[in-house]
Structure formats: C-alpha cells, structure tokens
Amino acid sequence: MAGLHRLSLTLSLHRQMMLTSISRLQQFVGTQAFHVTAAEELLNKVHDKDLVKTLGFINGEWVSASDGSTIPVDNPATGEVIANVACLKASDTKSAIAAASAAFPLWSSKTAKERSTVLRRWYDLVLAAQDDISTIMTVESGKPFAESKGEFTSGVASIEWFAEECRRVTGDILQTVHKDRRMLVVKQPVGVVAAITPWNFPMSMITRKVAPALAAGCTVILKPAESTPLTALALAELGHRAGIPNGVLNIIQGDAKAIGDTLIESDSVRKIGFTGSTRVGKLLFAGAADTVKRVSLELGGNAPFIVFDDADIDAAAAGVVTSAFRNAGQTCICANRVFVQDGIYDEFTKAVTEKVKKLKQGPGLDPSSTLGPLINTAAVERVQGHVDDAVAKGATVTVGGSKPDLPEPYNKGFFYAPTVLSNATIDMKIFREETFGPAMPLFRFHNDEEAIQLANNTEYGLAAYFFTKDLKRSWQVAERLEYGMVGVNEVAITSEVAPFGGIKHSGLGREHSKYGLDEFLYIKYIQMGIGYDNKGI
C-alpha cells in the first residue's frame, strides 16, 4: 500500500509539473514576442487579444523584420518593457512601397462612395474597440486613461469625417475662351503616401493623416513612432477586418533613419506627411526636394497664452492648466509661455498654483490619476534642465520643481512633478525653447503691444491663446498673432472640421477639415475640343 501511495504521489507530482509547463508554454506562445509579466498586465485588460500585435503589416500580412530584429516598447509609468516589436529596415520598407504602388491603381479607381463605405466600416470597428484601443494607448504612452479616451474620440472622428468628406470632392467647369473647346478641372489622388507620426498622440496623429489619404484614393505606408507602435498596429488589424484591400495600408515600425531615407529616396512615394520635431521635419523637407514630393509638416510649437487684466481669472487659470499639463505637457499646442498683465499677475499666479496642486500624478490606468509620466528619461532631464536654468536666473518655483516621490514600481517611471515658475524672464531657456513637459513659466507684461511682441518673439507659429472680455481687443490681437491657430477664451481648439497647422518653423499644410483632404489631391486641367459651327453643335 505504501508503494502504491508513493506511486500515486509521484504521478500527481508529474501531472502538476506537466500542467505547469503547458501553462507556461501557452503563456509564451500566446504573448508571442511579449515580456510575459508586462504582457499579462496588458492582455488581461484588453478584451480583443488579437488587437495586440508585435509584427509589421505589409500587403495584408503580418511580417517580421527581414533580419529578425526587434525593438522594446516601454511602459513609461514603470520603465518596464511591455513588448518587443519587429524592427523593420530599408528592405522591408521597399516591400511596403512595392505593395502600396501595386495597390494604388485599383484603390484610386474606386468611386468615392466605395471608398467611403470601406472607411465607414473601419470607423465602426474602431469605435467598437474604444476601450481596448484606449487601454493600449495608455500603457504604451503613459497618459491617463481619460486622456486616452479623449484622444480616441478625436481620432475616430477623423475617420468618420473623411469617410463622408471624400464624397464631396468636386472640380470645376471653367468659362471657355474658345467656342470649340471646353475647359475642366478635376482632382485626383497624389499617389503613394508616407505618413510618419509621433509618440505623444499614438492614434489621432495617425487617423488625421491616414483617413484623408485613403479617402482621396491614395495608398499609405505608415511609420509610427518606435515608442508607441502598438496603437498603430491595432488600427491596422481593424482596418484589415474592415476590408481595406491588401497593400492599401501598410505599417512599418522600426529603424527610423533607414525607413525615412528609403521613403524619401523613392520616386514611387509622392507625398510625405510628418508630425514631429522641427529638426527632423527640415531634414525630410530637404530630402523630399530631390524627388519633388509634396510635403505637409506639423512641427514644433512654443505656444503663448496671454491673460489680459479684464479676463475671467478663474476661467483663464483653469484653461491654462488644462492646456499646459495635458499629456504631461507633451503636446505641440500646449501653453508653453504664459504672459500675465501685471495688474492681475499675483492673483493669477496664486490661482494657477492652487489648481496645479490638485493634480494627481500616477499610472494612466489608475482612475484617480490626472497627470501621467513623460515618455522617457531624456524628457525628464530636459524639463529639469529648463527649471534649473529658470531658477538660476531668478524664477521662483511655486509648486513642483523636481521628480515626485512615488511608490514602487512607479518610482522607476518617467515622472516629473507639475511645476509653476513665477517671475520668469525672456533670457531663460524656457522662453526660447519648447519644454515639452509639465513646467509652466509666468511672465509679466504691461500693455497689449508688449504682449503681442512677446508672443510673436519665437521662430514657431503653431497655436496661441488669450483671455479677454474686450471684443475689440479680441479681433485686434487674434489678427496680429503670428500663428496658424488662435484660441480666444478657449483652449479646446482642435476639431476634425477645422484646419490644423502652423506657420513659420511650425510647418506647412493643414490637417483635418476640407483643407486637410486637399493635401492628398492634385489638380488636373483638361481641355476638350468638341467641334463647333455657327449653326450650333
């Protein structure tokens, strides 16, 4: 009996070991290239597991890099690797260009209604996956879940808008100057489009480029940021399910320089749409000259926020905090330089400081968090450098000014405390450079003319804001500010129906609205000889 007991115990132990091994194998296979611990945390929160992808997407197929290499994707809240995604190279990019080129004739020949129908299906599927996509965005970018939901709303609206707007593309019949001829103007898709998007808005920066390109009849090669490729891959999966034909939408995350150089050098790529730093945008612009590509660029910003002495102080304080600390200050249209008229300067400083103290930092998936981490260590160091420089030159920290004290594992994340700097002056780096982080400098001004001069004293020209109750001042200041977008008593200025873009070193072209669709169309003039005599046709 003792022997049977030992045998039974041994078999039970072997069975348990086998089940444990199978469970571990299932975890490994199920997560593909994912770091198991991080993958479990992500996958447990995503209902549709097939939306979590790690491969590139070319010609309707999920592909590894040609050399098998991968790149890590971090959770900025913890610094932990959540995925290792395929790191595509130049050869993979050439495959994507070939696929997009081959797909262009058929896609561009479809009627606007046919393309609209496909885009509408994509919109419906993306809308149904709202929580999953918002979760993926939060984990890979760090932003609070509520902000991800807000970005989702904006991003999916772009798909819906351009699904509808493509049916309203029209040309012209011109008044003829010859009786035996007719003159027509038609709009046609530019061809293969390369879209290069940043990490700070992993969804909306994609849909505002990809949706109008597809709507116009173009095919697309999308290169998402290395830091946040998972949202783009999820959108591609939903696009495939919606019936976007093979080769019409391709995703190539990976080696930024190799991919970018290949896209720029290709004669088959007829347009570059880029959102990112001014430095990289200028390189792309210069490179596109060799093949005379059409280029649209949404680059850096250094947005002024002016508070006149007749403004509603509480409304202006709430607005500037919302703008400056949205996405932890990592927004190209964030309020970067705050100019306050000296008569209300002290009162406004106190109001802003009290509102900032109420912000709660933490991981994006914590419902109580209102401020997430920065994207990486370099971003934290940049903010600290701007704060240190300002303090050394006479600024006073009213709140923040350092990394926050957070518990494990978030003390390893890329957090920086929301910071307000009073007594800021124009000799500080934070006046000249875009901080791209949660630090708000407050500058004094005396009159309208000084405020306008200070606001325009930058190479950038993307967005500007001001608060006043004076209607005459509203018109005069709005017209004199050298920016592509201006918010008057309002900071929520973006919409799929309104043009988005800047001037000066902030870029070229416009996204969103009917103007955004025009970026993907060229104008063709046709003259037709029809024959004519004095008796009529």
Side-chain angles (χ1 to χ4, degrees):
M1 292 296 292
L4 288 174
H5 178 71
R6 283 196 298 272
L7 177 61
S8 175
L9 186 62
T10 300
L11 288 174
S12 177
L13 180 61
H14 278 298
R15 180 175 181 272
Q16 184 61 42
M17 291 174 64
M18 183 178 68
L19 289 173
T20 301
S21 298
I22 291 172
S23 175
R24 289 175 177 171
L25 178 62
Q26 288 173 334
Q27 286 179 344
F28 176 77
V29 173
T31 57
Q32 300 174 32
F34 282 78
H35 180 280
V36 173
T37 302
E40 287 178 336
E41 182 181 7
L42 174 59
L43 290 174
N44 285 340
K45 295 181 181 299
V46 175
H47 296 93
D48 186 347
K49 313 301 182 189
D50 284 340
L51 291 182
V52 183
K53 300 291 187 182
T54 61
L55 304 178
F57 188 68
I58 299 175
N59 203 28
E61 296 183 352
W62 295 101
V63 299
S64 300
S66 54
D67 62 358
S69 62
T70 62
I71 50 175
V73 178
D74 295 338
N75 178 347
T78 62
E80 184 181 19
V81 175
I82 58 173
N84 288 292
V85 301
C87 181
L88 277 60
K89 304 292 197 314
S91 60
D92 306 300
T93 306
K94 290 177 182 177
S95 296
I97 293 172
S101 299
F104 176 71
L106 181 59
W107 181 248
S108 61
S109 68
K110 290 185 178 294
T111 65
K113 183 178 181 179
E114 289 172 327
R115 293 194 299 271
S116 174
T117 299
V118 174
L119 285 172
R120 186 72 198 195
R121 285 200 298 267
W122 189 29
Y123 164 79
D124 289 338
L125 290 175
V126 172
L127 188 63
Q130 176 175 346
D131 286 345
D132 282 349
I133 292 177
S134 297
T135 297
I136 293 171
M137 270 197 285
T138 294
V139 172
E140 69 174 344
S141 73
K143 65 181 62 180
F145 187 72
E147 286 195 17
S148 293
K149 291 287 286 286
E151 180 182 346
F152 178 91
T153 299
S154 172
V156 77
S158 294
I159 302 176
E160 181 183 37
W161 168 265
F162 287 110
E164 298 167 346
E165 190 66 13
C166 70
R167 299 179 67 174
R168 293 188 279 271
V169 174
T170 58
D172 291 293
I173 299 177
L174 307 179
Q175 289 296 320
T176 184
V177 296
H178 301 282
K179 291 182 179 181
D180 60 347
R181 305 173 201 174
R182 295 294 181 267
M183 306 164 74
L184 297 86
V185 174
V186 298
K187 295 181 180 180
Q188 294 184 314
V190 297
V192 176
V193 170
I196 303 174
T197 56
W199 49 263
N200 56 333
F201 288 93
M203 179 178 174
S204 61
M205 296 295 105
I206 289 173
T207 56
R208 66 168 58 177
K209 291 175 176 61
V210 172
L214 298 183
C218 301
T219 53
V220 177
I221 302 158
L222 169 65
K223 189 231 164 274
E226 300 94 300
S227 301
T228 56
L230 302 181
T231 301
L233 298 172
L235 291 173
E237 167 65 18
L238 293 169
H240 189 57
R241 295 180 193 178
I244 296 177
N246 294 347
V248 172
L249 175 60
N250 308 274
I251 314 292
I252 49 167
Q253 75 282 351
D255 187 329
K257 186 176 188 309
I259 292 171
D261 288 348
T262 305
L263 292 171
I264 285 293
E265 293 165 4
S266 173
D267 257 317
S268 298
V269 177
R270 299 312 312 148
K271 177 182 170 63
I272 298 284
F274 172 76
T275 297
S277 72
T278 298
R279 181 186 66 82
V280 174
K282 289 178 179 179
L283 292 173
L284 291 171
F285 193 24
D290 285 342
T291 51
V292 197
K293 295 186 193 332
R294 183 181 292 195
V295 177
S296 57
L297 304 170
E298 197 263 283
L299 308 177
N302 194 4
F305 189 108
I306 306 170
V307 187
F308 291 100
D309 56 10
D310 67 335
D312 181 324
I313 291 179
D314 189 65
V320 76
V321 170
T322 297
S323 176
F325 297 105
R326 178 188 177 206
N327 199 22
Q330 301 171 117
T331 306
C332 55
I333 61 172
C334 272
N336 225 55
R337 300 168 299 146
V338 183
F339 303 106
V340 186
Q341 201 153 11
D342 49 11
I344 60 168
Y345 186 91
D346 292 339
E347 183 181 359
F348 186 80
T349 301
K350 181 179 179 181
V352 166
T353 299
E354 291 305 310
K355 289 183 184 298
V356 171
K357 287 179 179 178
K358 295 177 181 178
L359 297 176
K360 184 179 183 301
Q361 278 193 294
L365 292 179
D366 181 343
S368 67
S369 296
T370 56
L371 191 72
L374 298 172
I375 192 64
N376 54 33
T377 299
V380 175
E381 292 172 349
R382 178 178 176 85
V383 179
Q384 188 66 67
H386 278 192
V387 171
D388 290 345
D389 174 78
V391 171
K393 293 174 180 174
T396 300
V397 176
T398 67
V399 61
S402 63
K403 291 193 65 174
D405 184 17
L406 296 175
E408 287 272 5
Y410 308 114
N411 60 342
K412 297 177 183 177
F414 312 124
F415 290 91
Y416 193 87
T419 300
V420 176
L421 296 163
S422 65
N423 303 314
T425 54
I426 64 172
D427 61 328
M428 298 172 181
K429 287 183 179 180
I430 205 166
F431 177 83
R432 300 187 307 274
E433 301 175 5
E434 184 180 22
T435 302
F436 227 62
M440 179 200 299
L442 304 179
F443 304 84
R444 291 179 184 267
F445 74 89
H446 302 291
N447 53 51
D448 293 24
E449 187 64 31
E450 183 184 9
I452 293 168
Q453 289 182 1
L454 287 169
N456 289 338
N457 185 12
T458 175
E459 66 184 9
Y460 299 105
L462 187 56
Y465 312 90
F466 66 90
F467 274 63
T468 181
K469 296 177 182 176
D470 188 322
L471 181 60
K472 178 181 178 181
R473 171 186 277 162
S474 295
W475 277 108
Q476 292 177 338
V477 175
E479 291 177 349
R480 292 185 60 193
L481 287 173
E482 297 170 354
Y483 292 84
M485 300 175 288
V486 178
V488 184
N489 298 322
E490 182 56 70
V491 296
I493 62 174
T494 60
S495 168
E496 71 275 12
V497 305
F500 185 103
I503 60 175
K504 300 193 290 188
H505 289 216
S506 287
L508 302 167
R510 291 296 181 268
E511 295 182 324
H512 278 159
S513 78
K514 64 179 183 180
Y515 304 104
L517 191 58
D518 284 343
E519 297 288 337
F520 299 92
L521 297 163
Y522 72 87
I523 293 173
K524 177 182 285 185
Y525 158 57
I526 302 170
Q527 183 171 134
M528 300 180 65
I530 62 171
Y532 187 87
D533 57 42
N534 290 333
K535 296 179 180 178
I537 299 173

